Amino acid sequence: MIIPRVPVQHRRLLPDRRLSGPTPWVIAILMMLTLLAAAAGVGLARSAGAIGNAIAGRVTVQIVTANPATRAGQAAALRRAATARPFVLSARAVGQEELRATLGQWFGSAEGDDPLLKSLPLPALVDIDLAGGDRNGHMRALRALVAREAPGARIIPHAEWLGPVARLIRSLAWIAGAMVLLMTAASAAIVIMTARAALGTHFATIEMLHLIGATDRQITRLFQRRIAIDTAYGIALGSAVAAAILLLIGWQWSGVTAGLAATASLGPAGWALLLALPLLAIALAALTARQTLLAALKKIL
Amino acid sequence: MVEFDGVGLRYGPDAEILSDISFNLQPGSFYFLTGASGAGKTSLLRMLYLAQRPSRGIVRLFGEDLVAMPRHRLPGFRRRIGVVFQDFRLIPHLSARDNIALPLRIAGVSEEDLSGPVGEMLSWIGLGDRAEARPATLSGGEQQRVAIARAVIARPQLLVADEPTGNVDPDMAMRLLGLFEALNRLGTTVVVATHDIHLISRIENAQMMRLERGRLSDPTGALRYPPANRT
């Protein structure tokens, strides 16, 4: 039981006021930071996973043959040949209009109709998604295919340039996870200090309870219950503030649909973890208080 | 009932504050423990009410060796011992009724079953009309009567009192002594530590245990070998 049952008459053995002073407020702040760090960690981990999956088997073949007609022909031949291969999931030739529209964003022409842009010779690009399994073998086969259909073309694996970004995001996720662990440890330390302070403050009562035959278990349950309740107030407050912040961020995030940002989300498991964290925190506080109290009481005969 | 054999007590590396304490307390007897300040009375009483284990020797209580007894068994023995302190040690935020009911609640007696005995005890100590009063609003004598009621509500076999009349006036001291005597007549073994020589003379058949510099004075051997035990 997270918060132990104690008969009402026994609860009165401790004064009505809270035992733990500012502890609930400190716990509230730590809980809020823990939840935000956990949310960031989950979001970043999912983002890193999504990017990793997306880029792991994707390559772009860049055909730079000078003659536009030859270039277009090689691109079409490569796409057809690649599509027929079992190690290729999909192959798509990127249209020249699409390329110009992309480049147009840098030339100040969103439509890609800038005369200068139109005059530029653009390479032909073929995006290819490789099947899973023997990725190295698939790459060797693709290189052979490209050498046959479009000699001189460059093969650009997306993992080469997006891989470091994915690794960075993954590192940030680990840091967020470490922060969750550190703040959990700090919360436990605060509960330990609170339990010890409560024992010191109420030592006379504890000594008297011992002398009239109270067991360690009876005394521990009394204090454990009160500390767990005090801590639960802090956890509830911290969780509520964190939930408000996450909902606000989620609402703002929903407007971001482009690029890497669109890959960040919590997912059902992430939300379940965030919901479970406050309950785990209360259980941890109660358990920590119990062990601290029992250890301290054992020092008294 | 209580047997001390060659008991010594020291705190840390210092010299023993109690040495070679041997006595045998008889059921239903009344004992005064006397001695100068610092003679070790409180330390001896702490061993009697199981707040302290001896450094050496044998302590047997209710027929069981307490020195080697595992800690988790001690509460059961403590429930058979009542303790009264000079400074009362009432729980300040509880009423007189709740302070008196404490040992029964700890022992798991239901609220239904404890209301009768607690009411009787309040009447016995003359505080029936102050049942809901907090200790801070009671006089020293009233607080000590509540403390005595708390010590005896669970009908202990042994009652230990450490200077119980030290903080009350002489009249109240006599009334409190009357309570101890009444309990003793009901069969409770009573040990009272006191400086008050007048108090000692008021109880017939009371035996005196005198501590001098950590040693028990027992020139006739009556404490170690009570007449009832002699062969």
Side-chain angles (χ1 to χ4, degrees):
Chain A
M1 184 107 193
I2 293 176
I3 299 178
R5 281 175 189 271
V6 175
V8 175
Q9 287 75 17
H10 286 208
R11 291 178 203 166
R12 292 211 301 262
L13 292 174
L14 294 178
D16 289 336
R17 65 180 183 275
R18 283 192 290 104
L19 288 181
S20 41
T23 298
W25 299 105
V26 179
I27 293 282
I29 293 167
L30 284 172
M31 192 69 229
M32 183 192 73
L33 294 174
T34 303
L35 285 173
L36 293 181
V42 170
L44 288 168
R46 282 175 57 86
S47 184
I51 291 168
N53 288 336
I55 66 176
R58 173 165 288 189
V59 297
T60 295
V61 180
Q62 192 180 65
I63 302 168
V64 290
T65 307
N67 186 318
T70 308
R71 203 160 61 222
Q74 286 178 338
L78 176 62
R79 190 194 67 76
R80 273 196 308 278
T83 305
R85 296 297 190 278
F87 60 84
V88 171
L89 285 178
S90 66
R92 182 179 76 91
V94 182
Q96 292 290 298
E97 295 74 21
E98 187 180 341
L99 273 178
R100 283 203 184 84
T102 304
L103 288 173
Q105 295 174 27
W106 279 270
F107 279 78
S109 164
E111 304 300 319
D113 54 358
D114 187 273
L116 176 63
L117 187 58
K118 280 186 173 173
S119 68
L120 280 177
L122 296 177
L125 301 180
V126 180
D127 284 340
I128 296 174
D129 284 318
L130 297 174
D134 180 14
R135 284 261 157 81
N136 291 334
H138 295 345
M139 277 301 289
R140 279 196 299 275
L142 180 66
R143 280 195 196 97
L145 183 67
V146 169
R148 190 168 64 244
E149 300 293 342
R154 286 178 60 204
I155 299 174
I156 305 167
H158 288 205
E160 265 183 22
W161 52 278
L162 267 180
V165 177
R167 279 196 294 278
L168 172 66
I169 292 173
R170 202 167 285 121
S171 297
L172 291 173
W174 279 109
I175 290 169
M179 283 172 66
V180 169
L181 289 178
L182 284 174
M183 281 185 281
T184 303
S187 302
I190 284 167
V191 170
I192 289 171
M193 286 191 287
T194 301
R196 286 182 179 163
L199 282 177
T201 306
H202 298 278
F203 186 77
T205 301
I206 291 166
E207 193 180 35
M208 180 46 65
L209 290 173
H210 254 152
L211 288 180
I212 61 178
T215 61
D216 286 355
R217 188 178 153 84
Q218 284 176 310
I219 297 171
T220 297
R221 287 170 73 88
L222 202 61
F223 282 86
Q224 182 189 343
R225 179 181 178 280
R226 188 66 71 82
I227 291 170
I229 289 173
D230 283 0
T231 309
Y233 282 130
I235 288 170
L237 178 63
S239 302
V241 175
I245 292 172
L246 287 175
L247 288 174
L248 180 66
I249 291 173
W251 174 68
Q252 290 178 330
W253 207 265
S254 62
V256 181
T257 54
L260 296 178
T263 62
S265 69
L266 292 176
W271 282 110
L273 174 70
L274 293 185
L275 289 173
L277 269 179
L279 295 177
L280 290 173
I282 295 174
L284 177 70
L287 187 66
T288 305
R290 178 185 164 80
Q291 294 308 315
T292 307
L293 293 163
L294 281 174
L297 288 173
K298 276 182 184 162
K299 293 176 184 166
I300 311 169
L301 181 63
Chain B
M1 165 169 278
V2 181
E3 184 189 343
F4 275 46
D5 188 4
V7 168
L9 176 67
R10 70 171 80 237
Y11 294 114
D14 298 334
E16 283 190 333
I17 55 167
L18 289 173
S19 295
D20 301 326
I21 304 290
S22 297
F23 60 79
N24 203 329
L25 303 186
Q26 296 300 291
S29 301
F30 198 117
Y31 297 88
F32 281 110
L33 176 63
T34 66
S37 293
K41 298 191 296 296
T42 297
S43 294
L44 179 55
L45 293 186
R46 280 176 60 80
M47 286 194 285
L48 265 180
Y49 58 73
L50 308 183
Q52 179 75 49
R53 286 190 206 264
S55 306
R56 63 181 174 88
I58 295 169
V59 174
R60 298 181 74 82
L61 189 61
F62 311 125
E64 295 219 37
D65 178 7
L66 289 170
V67 177
M69 181 173 284
R71 196 174 163 277
H72 71 268
R73 287 194 61 204
L74 293 177
F77 281 81
R78 289 187 178 123
R79 290 176 191 182
R80 297 161 75 179
I81 304 169
V83 192
V84 180
F85 298 96
Q86 181 178 357
D87 56 357
F88 324 130
R89 300 201 193 174
L90 299 176
I91 295 180
H93 58 274
L94 295 185
S95 66
R97 182 195 300 280
D98 284 336
N99 266 291
I100 292 171
L102 201 51
L104 296 181
R105 286 193 172 125
I106 291 297
V109 177
S110 69
E111 291 302 306
E112 198 175 73
D113 290 340
L114 64 75
S115 61
V118 172
E120 283 174 25
M121 197 57 72
L122 279 162
S123 301
W124 182 63
I125 60 172
L127 290 174
D129 57 340
R130 310 282 331 259
E132 302 308 323
R134 299 284 172 95
T137 65
L138 298 172
S139 69
E142 288 172 330
Q143 288 188 58
Q144 193 57 296
R145 279 185 276 161
V146 172
I148 292 171
R150 180 183 63 187
V152 303
I153 182 85
R155 300 273 182 254
Q157 291 166 266
L158 173 65
L159 178 68
V160 179
D162 190 0
E163 303 279 4
T165 57
N167 281 344
V168 297
D169 60 56
D171 284 347
M172 183 53 68
M174 286 302 149
R175 286 184 63 184
L176 295 178
L177 196 65
L179 292 178
F180 289 132
E181 199 177 9
L183 284 167
N184 179 239
R185 279 200 295 271
L186 292 171
T188 302
T189 303
V190 179
V191 180
V192 177
T194 184
H195 281 108
D196 191 345
I197 199 73
H198 301 294
L199 218 57
I200 295 169
S201 62
R202 298 298 293 261
I203 304 285
E204 288 179 28
N205 301 321
Q207 297 179 64
M208 196 160 81
M209 304 164 73
R210 181 165 178 78
L211 275 174
E212 290 175 359
R213 293 180 184 178
R215 290 177 182 273
L216 193 62
S217 172
D218 185 18
T220 64
L223 287 172
R224 185 160 196 185
Y225 305 108
N229 273 12
R230 288 183 183 175
T231 55

